Structure formats: structure tokens, C-alpha cells
């Protein structure tokens, strides 16, 4: 499901119940298109995420940790100037559209009352977050500035008069007392699904499809009333078909098994954890990805060159044979010749043509072949050693690239630190004081069906910290077999078989084999894990492991993020 008007309506109700009357106590902008307002309400702190992301625009309470940027953006400073300590008076949806109004009451510098509105427009690439002074109707600031050359209908710039998005000639389904759907059901020109979308405001394709199916199966009036009555008490659901889809209430038309969550916000955290995180990592980790790609490309070229050198050593015996044949038949070789044909006693006396230097004596020509032979023989051991070292580094760097693919934004600092410690990335000095060593971020926490805690390291530094320091010796350690991936720890000495399989699913999902259908995962007690001296971060060895095969599924991972109610 998209974040359509139907879902926005349900989310507005959920947030209004929790937040209205609360006071803003923190404002951060961790990512270019997203703001988090910390609101203190009902004796709790609620991190309210407002996202104007072109693909993942949404509004929700989020429990996903975010890193606060060292330097706040201009928009953050504007929000802090006007909204710090402001109280949220009202949170409502506009006409079942994908637009929310958050109205705040505060005071200006002179102590006069000031009414402010945050307008959150969830409209794909046109999404925006706008702070408006309700006393003047003017825009104070926006997360995305849109000039007249980009939008002729309205100017979205600080100081401009705020103009709402153009209204559509459609009906709010929550306020339709005329039951206009009855007439739509009599029309045969288009499918009922498309007719509903054209006639009513805020119906996404999946919502229209669900509503059309319900209307056509039985009593239409009862189906319509039942659908909108159910939205008053949402049952947040993720359906796991070919693609994960979410809805405010269970949709019969969504394929696959359905998992319900306690709140809409908790469900969105589970749904967007992978998608939005991956996008943020690609954006914020662009520099790291660029450096790694160059290093990997360099090592791959070096490996090919070493392989070619190794292939050339196959001629070593050929040089030795030529030298020995020349030595045996020196009396038949005349100085000044450029080539000579002699019987090859290594190949049934077949004639062998040997190139010669006319500047050297026959004996010196023979010694030249022996020297080439010895040089190539000595090169074999060196090339094998270099290839092994280069392949080890290539595997290591490829593993880090896999980590970035699986990382969340908070893990990027650890990966950057690791590359700096390994000499792959320069350390930027700030002034004369040495830069403090960054603290390794905490591993991700998951929960098995029986409530057992499972930790997942998301980078090499986390993996070392988790396996070698945090885990108990009796805990169970898991890792995808023979591929880069996360260290996974079950916080139990004797987990159930189901817990073991769930942890194995996490190990497979957070590995290079995430897309595999039958991924082998090793598991063993932590006490049998050891790290060789001088080994790179994240590298460990073990013996006596057992192995299970699992199929990593996003729906299972999403479910394991939420602590079960036992």
C-alpha cells in the first residue's frame, strides 16, 4: 500500500491521540528530506518523523535510532527558532488528502502569541514540509525550496504567501452521505476500482481494489460502512506476497501471509527499516562506496596481472630443456648463429629449434636459458604469495562493501573508522588536538518468537565487539557459511529449535547471500570462536560447527524486530 489518503486518515487519528497537547522538546534533521520532532506528551517522549522523501514520504512515531548531525541545517535552525517549546494544538488531515496540518501555539520574541502550522505534503517527488505563520499566512521556511520556474501554480519559498495544493473535484469518502458508490456500481464503462479512485479523494490503487471487492461481495452499504468503521480502530498489517505491502486494516485483496502490529507507526518501522535505510546509506555512504570501488577495482586488476605472470611461468621447463639440449650439443653450435635445430632427447629425439643470440657464445646462450628458467621458478613462489595476499585483501574489501549494502546509517561511522584504521582512508585532522576514537555503535536487537534476544552485528567492528566482548561464552554464534555477513548471537545457551532457525534466518538475511533461497548457516558456541593474531576486523576461526539451511525472508526479519507480547 502507498501512504494514500485512507492510510493518512488512520495515521492522523493515531498521532492526534498521542501527541496533541504535547510540547516540542527536541528538533533534529538527520537526513536531507526528514525531520524528527521530539514531543513530550502524556509523560512520554515521542520521536515524530516527518519525511518528505520522494519515495518513502510518511509521518509516524519512529523508534529507529538516528544520528544527530554535527552541523544543523538551515531548516533545522528555523524550526528550532520558532517551534522550540511550542505546544501542539491540533493535528488533522486535509480532506482525506495526503496532507497533514500540525498547528502549534508559541510566543514570539516580544512575548506575543504566535500561531504556526507545519504543513506536511506526502506527494511523492512533490513532497514537502512547510512552516507557515498563521497570523500572516506567509512561509517561514521549507525543507525543499521550489522556485517559480519549477512550479507555476504556487511559489514555495521563504517569505512567499502559502498556497495550498490545488483541490480536486472529488468527494471525501468519510463524509459521503449520498452513498454515491451505488451509482458507480451501475456504471460499466470502467472497472469499479477505477471509478472509485476517480470519484473519491485519497484512494490508492490497493485501497480502491479492496473497497471494490467488498462492495461487490454482498450488501454494498454494509461493506462500505464496515470498511470505514474498521479504520476507526486500525489493525496495522503487512502482507508478504511477492512484495511486502502494508495497510491500516487487513486487506483481503493483498496476497501472502499477513502480520499485524500494535500500532501503525510500529508497522511502518518494520516495513521501511530496510528500504528507507538502504536509500539513506547509499546517499550518506557515497564517499565510502566510491573509495571501496576504486580499491576493489585496483585489486581485481592486480589479481589478473599476477595470474598472467603465473601463466608465463609455465614456460620455465621449456627454457630448462633448451638450456640442457644446448649444453649437450655445444660442439655442434657455431658462434654467430641466430638459431640452431638439435635433437630433443626429452621428446624422442624430435628436432627442436632453439633461438640464439649471435652476440653470445654457445655456452653463454645455454646459461641465458638456465637464468630465465631460474628466474621464473623463483617467481612462482613469490607470485603465489602475492596472489594469496591480494585475494585476502580483495575478499576483505568486498566484505566491507557487503556491509554497506546491509548497513543502517548509524553503522557508516564504524565502517569509516575501520577503513581509516586499515590505512584505506585518510584521517582528517581537526586542529591540533588528535581526533577522539569513535565509540563503536551498538549491534541491532531482534527477538525470537519466544522472546529470546538476538543480536546482529552490522559491520566488522561491531562483529568483533559483539562476539569477543559482549557475548557470553555459552551463547550461540551464527554466521552465513563461506560468505561475508553479520555475526549473530543468541542470548541463550540452549535456544529452542525455532529460535535457532529464526537466528539463522537473520544471519542469512544479513549476508551476501540475502537473495538466496537455500542459505547455509554455521552455528557454534561462542567459547569455540577465536581470532588469529593480526587478523583483520571481523575475521574469526572456529571448528566443530553445525550447519542449517534457511531461506531468508524480509517478512520474517520484520517480525523479529518487534518484541513479542508473551
Amino acid at each position: 500500500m502507498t501512504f494514500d489518503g485512507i492510510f493518512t486518515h488512520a495515521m492522523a487519528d493515531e498521532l492526534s491521540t498521542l501527541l496533541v497537547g504535547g510540547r516540542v522538546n527536541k528538533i533534529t534533521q538527520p537526513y536531507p528530506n526528514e525531520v524528527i520532532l521530539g514531543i513530550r506528551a502524556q509523560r512520554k517522549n515521542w520521536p515524530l518523523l516527518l519525511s518528505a522523501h520522494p519515495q518513502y514520504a510518511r509521518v509516524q512515531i519512529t523508534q529507529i535510532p538516528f544520528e544527530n548531525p554535527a552541523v544543523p541545517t538551515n531548516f533545522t535552525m528555523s524550526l528550532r527558532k520558532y517551534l522550540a517549546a511550542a505546544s501542539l494544538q491540533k493535528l488533522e488531515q486535509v480532506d482525506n488528502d495526503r496532507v497533514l496540518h500540525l498547528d502549534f501555539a508559541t510566543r514570539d520574541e516580544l512575548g506575543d502569541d504566535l500561531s504556526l502550522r507545519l504543513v506536511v505534503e506526502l506527494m511523492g517527488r512533490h513532497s514537502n514540509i512547510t512552516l507557515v505563520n498563521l497570523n500572516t499566512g506567509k512561509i517561514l521556511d521549507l525543507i525543499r525550496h521550489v522556485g517559480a520556474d519549477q512550479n507555476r501554480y504556487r511559489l514555495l519559498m521563504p517569505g512567499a504567501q502559502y498556497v495550498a495544493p490545488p483541490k480536486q473535484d472529488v468527494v471525501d469518502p468519510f463524509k459521503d452521505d449520498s452513498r454515491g458508490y451505488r451509482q458507480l456500481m451501475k456504471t460499466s464503462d470502467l472497472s469499479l476500482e477505477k471509478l472509485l479512485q476517480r470519484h473519491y479523494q485519497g484512494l490508492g490503487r490497493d485501497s480502491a481494489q479492496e473497497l471494490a471487492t467488498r462492495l461487490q461481495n454482498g450488501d454494498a452499504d454494509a461493506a462500505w460502512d464496515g470498511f470505514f468503521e474498521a479504520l476507526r480502530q486500525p489493525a496495522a498489517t503487512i502482507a508478504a506476497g511477492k512484495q511486502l505491502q502494508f495497510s491500516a486494516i487487513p486487506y483481503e485483496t493483498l496476497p501472502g501471509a499477513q502480520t499485524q502490529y500494535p500500532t501503525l507507526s510500529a508497522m511502518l518501522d518494520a516495513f521501511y527499516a530496510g528500504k528507507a535505510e538502504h536509500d539513506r546509506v547509499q546517499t550518506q555512504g557515497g564517499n565510502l562506496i566510491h573509495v571501496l570501488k576504486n580499491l576493489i577495482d585496483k585489486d581485481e586488476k592486480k589479481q589478473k596481472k599476477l595470474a598472467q605472470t603465473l601463466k608465463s611461468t609455465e614456460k620455465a621447463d621449456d627454457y630448462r630443456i633448451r638450456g640442457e639440449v644446448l649444453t649437450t650439443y655445444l660442439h655442434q653450435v657455431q658462434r654467430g648463429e641466430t638459431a640452431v635445430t638439435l635433437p630433443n632427447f626429452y621428446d624422442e629425439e624430435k628436432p627442436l629449434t632453439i633461438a640464439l643470440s649471435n652476440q653470445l657464445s654457445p655456452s653463454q646462450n645455454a646459461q641465458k636459458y638456465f637464468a630465465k628458467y631460474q628466474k621464473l621458478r623463483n617467481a612462482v613462489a613469490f607470485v603465489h604469495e602475492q596472489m594469496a595476499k591480494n585475494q585476502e585483501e580483495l575478499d576483505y574489501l568486498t566484505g566491507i562493501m557487503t556491509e554497506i549494502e546491509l548497513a543502517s546509517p548509524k553503522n557508516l561511522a564504524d565502517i569509516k573508522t575501520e577503513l581509516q584504521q586499515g590505512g584505506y582512508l585518510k584521517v582528517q585532522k581537526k586542529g591540533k588536538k588528535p581526533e577522539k576514537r569513535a565509540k563503536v555503535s551498538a549491534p541491532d536487537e531482534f527477538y525470537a518468537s519466544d522472546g529470546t534476544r538476538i543480536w546482529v552485528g552490522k559491520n566488522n567492528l561491531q562483529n568483533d565487539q559483539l562476539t569477543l566482548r559482549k557475548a557470553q561464552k555459552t551463547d550461540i554464534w551464527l554466521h552465513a557459511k563461506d560468505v561475508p555477513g553479520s555475526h549473530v548471537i543468541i542470548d541463550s545457551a540452549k535456544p529452542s529449535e525455532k529460535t535457532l532457525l529464526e537466528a539463522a534466518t537473520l544471519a542469512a538475511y544479513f549476508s551476501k547471500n540475502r537473495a538466496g533461497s537455500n542459505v547455509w548457516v554455521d552455528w557454534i558456541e561462542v567459547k569455540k570462536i577465536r581470532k588469529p593474531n593480526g587478523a583483520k576486523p571481523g575475521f574469526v576461526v572456529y571448528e566443530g560447527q553445525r550447519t542449517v539451511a534457511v531461506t531468508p525472508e524480509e517478512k520474517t526479519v520484520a517480525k523479529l524486530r518487534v518484541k513479542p507480547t508473551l
Side-chain angles (χ1 to χ4, degrees):
M1 177 178 183
T2 53
F3 209 111
D4 66 358
I6 293 292
F7 192 90
T8 305
H9 183 96
M11 179 58 78
D13 287 347
E14 177 176 292
L15 296 178
S16 181
T17 302
L18 293 174
L19 303 178
V20 169
R23 193 171 294 274
V24 178
N25 59 11
K26 188 175 183 181
I27 301 171
T28 60
Q29 188 179 345
Y31 307 111
N33 296 310
E34 296 175 338
V35 170
I36 294 182
L37 301 182
I39 298 180
R40 179 74 177 177
Q42 301 181 28
R43 299 183 179 181
K44 284 190 67 175
N45 291 320
W46 304 96
L48 176 64
L49 170 65
L50 309 176
S51 174
H53 192 284
Q55 290 177 284
Y56 311 121
R58 64 197 188 279
V59 176
Q60 65 166 112
I61 300 293
T62 182
Q63 300 303 328
I64 297 176
F66 295 92
E67 293 294 321
N68 191 14
V71 180
T73 64
N74 291 335
F75 186 59
T76 304
M77 295 302 292
S78 294
L79 293 181
R80 289 176 180 174
K81 176 182 177 181
Y82 291 104
L83 292 183
S87 61
L88 180 61
Q89 301 294 301
K90 185 168 61 176
L91 189 158
E92 64 180 8
Q93 181 189 25
V94 180
D95 298 329
N96 203 47
D97 201 356
R98 293 169 296 166
V99 179
L100 288 174
H101 286 174
L102 285 76
D103 290 351
F104 294 90
T106 185
R107 295 183 182 275
D108 60 18
E109 295 90 339
L110 300 177
D112 296 330
D113 289 338
L114 181 61
S115 297
L116 300 171
R117 172 174 290 167
L118 263 184
V119 182
V120 186
E121 300 171 4
L122 310 170
M123 299 178 176
R125 61 190 181 91
H126 299 296
S127 299
N128 214 332
I129 302 171
T130 308
L131 180 62
V132 180
N133 183 335
L134 289 180
N135 297 345
T136 63
K138 290 190 175 181
I139 297 173
L140 297 173
D141 208 347
L142 313 88
I143 200 167
R144 291 178 59 240
H145 293 186
V146 182
D149 57 329
Q150 296 174 275
N151 190 328
R152 294 183 181 181
Y153 178 79
R154 56 183 185 151
L155 180 64
L156 296 174
M157 297 290 287
Q161 199 75 17
Y162 176 74
V163 178
K167 287 191 175 183
Q168 302 177 34
D169 186 19
V170 287
V171 178
D172 183 345
F174 288 92
K175 301 176 181 177
D176 181 22
D177 297 328
S178 65
R179 296 194 180 272
Y181 55 84
R182 294 175 181 170
Q183 188 62 36
L184 297 180
M185 293 177 69
K186 299 175 183 178
T187 305
S188 59
D189 295 344
L190 290 172
S191 67
L192 181 57
E193 172 190 330
K194 291 183 178 179
L195 288 170
L196 288 170
Q197 282 188 284
R198 289 187 178 186
H199 187 73
Y200 290 106
Q201 176 80 8
L203 291 184
R205 182 179 178 182
D206 46 0
S207 295
Q209 185 180 16
E210 175 71 15
L211 194 50
T213 301
R214 294 191 182 199
L215 291 174
Q216 292 169 328
N217 293 336
D219 186 337
D221 290 346
W224 180 273
D225 294 340
F227 179 82
F228 288 98
E229 184 64 31
L231 289 168
R232 297 179 184 276
Q233 294 181 322
T237 303
I238 291 180
K242 289 184 179 180
Q243 292 182 334
L244 291 182
Q245 293 179 278
F246 65 84
S247 56
I249 58 176
Y251 278 9
E252 300 169 8
T253 52
L254 291 183
Q258 298 194 358
T259 304
Q260 292 193 3
Y261 293 81
T263 65
L264 298 175
S265 290
M267 181 269 292
L268 289 181
D269 266 354
F271 183 85
Y272 282 112
K275 295 178 175 62
E277 294 288 88
H278 182 267
D279 180 81
R280 292 166 182 153
V281 167
Q282 294 298 307
T283 300
Q284 294 193 345
N287 183 48
L288 297 180
I289 293 170
H290 177 71
V291 170
L292 281 170
K293 282 183 176 177
N294 287 341
L295 290 169
I296 290 172
D297 185 55
K298 180 181 175 182
D299 280 351
E300 286 177 342
K301 288 179 179 177
K302 183 177 180 181
Q303 201 71 355
K304 288 180 181 178
K305 190 174 181 180
L306 288 170
Q308 290 172 353
T309 302
L310 189 63
K311 188 174 182 180
S312 68
T313 62
E314 296 173 359
K315 298 180 179 179
D317 283 338
D318 190 47
Y319 289 134
R320 177 181 59 80
I321 290 170
R322 278 170 163 71
E324 290 183 0
V325 170
L326 271 177
T327 302
T328 302
Y329 296 103
L330 277 178
H331 61 284
Q332 296 184 24
V333 182
Q334 300 297 320
R335 187 184 182 107
E337 291 182 314
T338 57
V340 65
T341 300
L342 300 169
N344 183 1
F345 44 77
Y346 284 104
D347 191 15
E348 300 177 351
E349 302 297 328
K350 291 180 180 178
L352 175 65
T353 300
I354 303 172
L356 301 172
S357 171
N358 57 8
Q359 303 297 317
L360 301 176
S361 67
S363 176
Q364 288 173 326
N365 271 294
Q367 292 304 313
K368 185 178 179 181
Y369 276 110
F370 284 130
K372 287 183 177 180
Y373 163 72
Q374 196 59 48
K375 182 178 180 181
L376 290 176
R377 288 292 297 170
N378 293 338
V380 171
F382 175 77
V383 171
H384 275 299
E385 181 183 350
Q386 288 297 305
M387 287 186 74
K389 288 182 178 179
N390 191 65
Q391 187 61 49
E392 182 181 335
E393 182 177 84
L394 187 57
D395 291 343
Y396 171 69
L397 295 174
T398 303
I400 293 183
M401 185 66 87
T402 300
E403 286 179 2
I404 292 180
E405 286 294 317
L406 304 174
S408 55
K410 68 184 180 71
N411 302 135
L412 293 177
D414 294 342
I415 296 173
K416 181 179 179 180
T417 299
E418 181 182 348
L419 290 173
Q420 289 174 340
Q421 292 174 353
Y424 298 105
L425 201 63
K426 290 184 179 179
V427 179
Q428 295 180 348
K429 296 182 179 179
K430 297 181 180 179
K432 296 181 180 180
K433 293 183 179 180
E435 190 175 351
K436 291 183 179 179
R437 187 169 181 176
K439 185 178 179 181
V440 178
S441 58
D444 287 2
E445 283 192 17
F446 294 82
Y447 299 91
S449 299
D450 62 3
T452 303
R453 187 161 47 179
I454 303 172
W455 288 298
V456 177
K458 300 294 286 296
N459 57 67
N460 286 328
L461 296 184
Q462 272 189 27
N463 287 338
D464 277 354
Q465 188 93 327
L466 175 60
T467 301
L468 305 176
R469 295 180 179 86
K470 186 180 181 70
Q472 300 291 324
K473 294 296 183 183
T474 54
D475 289 345
I476 301 300
W477 179 92
L478 303 95
H479 192 283
K481 188 176 182 65
D482 298 331
V483 294
S486 295
H487 290 200
V488 176
I489 297 291
I490 302 175
D491 187 21
S492 172
K494 295 181 179 180
S496 67
E497 185 176 348
K498 185 175 182 180
T499 296
L500 188 66
L501 289 174
E502 289 173 336
T505 299
L506 291 172
Y509 184 81
F510 292 106
S511 78
K512 193 174 183 179
N513 282 351
R514 170 182 285 193
S517 59
N518 197 33
V519 182
W520 291 96
V521 176
D522 290 337
W523 66 277
I524 194 172
E525 295 85 354
V526 171
K527 63 184 177 184
K528 296 181 181 178
I529 303 288
R530 65 183 182 86
K531 187 175 185 68
N533 291 332
K536 289 186 179 293
F539 182 81
V540 295
V541 294
Y542 51 91
E543 294 178 352
Q545 73 276 13
R546 283 163 281 185
T547 307
V548 295
V550 294
T551 299
E553 294 181 337
E554 191 172 351
K555 63 179 181 180
T556 304
V557 175
K559 183 179 179 181
L560 296 177
R561 290 183 186 277
V562 182
K563 189 173 184 179
T565 303
L566 302 177

